[in-house]
Amino acid sequence: MRIEVRQGLPPGQRRLAAELYWQAFGGKLDRVMGPEPRALAFLERVMRADHVLAAVDAEGRLLGLAGFKTPVGGFAGGTCADMRAVYGIWGGTWRVLVLRALQGDVDNERFLLDGICVARNLRSRGIGSALLEGICAEAVRRGYPAVRLDVIDTNWRARALYERQGFIAIRSHRIGLLRYVFGFNSAITMVRPVVG
């Protein structure tokens, strides 16, 4: 399979991008972002094409994506107004507060990967590795010396991929009582230098 990594989302595939993102992160976000139809509506509304790399096949079909964060925003962050537009005033407000407690700040020293996902039926075909290489190249293009990501303690498959790609765990941080909401205990910060 030929894989090409491109900046932005393929035309007409925002809904598929939202579904891929939810497929990857819905298990941890469902209690806050669910029900699924609303979560997909929110993601489709807020995804920023200027903060994502997409892996596509020879026909331009979306196979996977890697979002990133910069000082001007993130791939699937959105605003309080976006959250309220999809979930209503009360539903949007409590969701913003819970998600804000989980999110970290933008790392101004390193390029921040903010979510990578590959279609479930296409995993183990090099798509995730191609997206990580694309993220590293984007970091170099933007002048960053390293890429940083956070992986949850229960996602051993992703952590193994990151380790194979040269990422090193530098710390672990527990999420306290939020573990009852999100279903994991801690997140591991991993870093990969991209310039010698």
Side-chain angles (χ1 to χ4, degrees):
M1 172 189 311
R2 191 180 129 246
I3 303 164
E4 181 183 345
V5 176
R6 301 178 184 167
Q7 176 75 43
L9 293 173
Q13 296 190 43
R14 283 184 71 81
R15 181 63 177 203
L16 177 57
E19 289 169 355
L20 283 177
Y21 192 90
W22 188 250
Q23 187 181 88
F25 300 107
K28 105 177 159 179
L29 296 175
D30 186 54
R31 290 183 184 150
V32 177
M33 300 292 296
E36 183 175 339
R38 284 204 180 177
L40 292 173
F42 176 79
L43 290 168
E44 198 170 355
R45 175 186 177 100
V46 303
M47 290 182 306
R48 290 185 58 161
D50 62 339
H51 280 67
V52 67
L53 299 180
V56 297
D57 65 10
E59 286 77 42
R61 289 182 297 242
L62 185 63
L63 309 172
L65 55 88
F68 54 86
K69 249 184 200 178
T70 70
V72 297
F75 169 63
T79 65
C80 294
D82 291 317
M83 194 67 80
R84 288 183 187 120
V86 174
Y87 296 97
I89 293 173
W90 167 242
T93 301
W94 76 258
R95 284 172 170 88
V96 165
L97 294 172
V98 171
L99 290 171
R100 195 169 284 153
L102 184 65
Q103 293 174 343
D105 293 332
V106 172
D107 186 335
N108 292 318
E109 304 288 320
R110 297 165 291 207
F111 194 54
L112 183 58
L113 175 65
D114 189 30
I116 185 169
C117 44
V118 173
R120 190 173 286 132
N121 63 323
L122 298 174
R123 291 178 185 161
S124 299
R125 296 189 186 186
I127 298 166
S129 296
L131 284 165
L132 286 171
E133 288 304 320
I135 285 289
C136 290
E138 185 70 16
V140 169
R141 189 180 75 73
R142 291 171 180 257
Y144 287 93
V147 173
R148 187 195 113 196
L149 59 85
D150 293 300
V151 61
I152 62 173
D153 58 359
T154 57
N155 195 348
W156 57 269
R157 184 182 177 121
R159 183 171 179 179
L161 169 64
Y162 301 145
E163 288 172 344
R164 284 193 308 274
Q165 292 297 314
F167 285 84
I168 298 166
I170 62 168
R171 77 170 185 245
S172 176
H173 45 281
R174 299 179 88 53
I175 64 166
L177 294 176
L178 288 175
R179 70 184 181 272
Y180 297 114
V181 176
F182 293 106
F184 63 94
N185 290 314
S186 62
I188 297 97
T189 297
M190 303 183 78
V191 173
R192 174 182 162 181
V194 292
V195 292

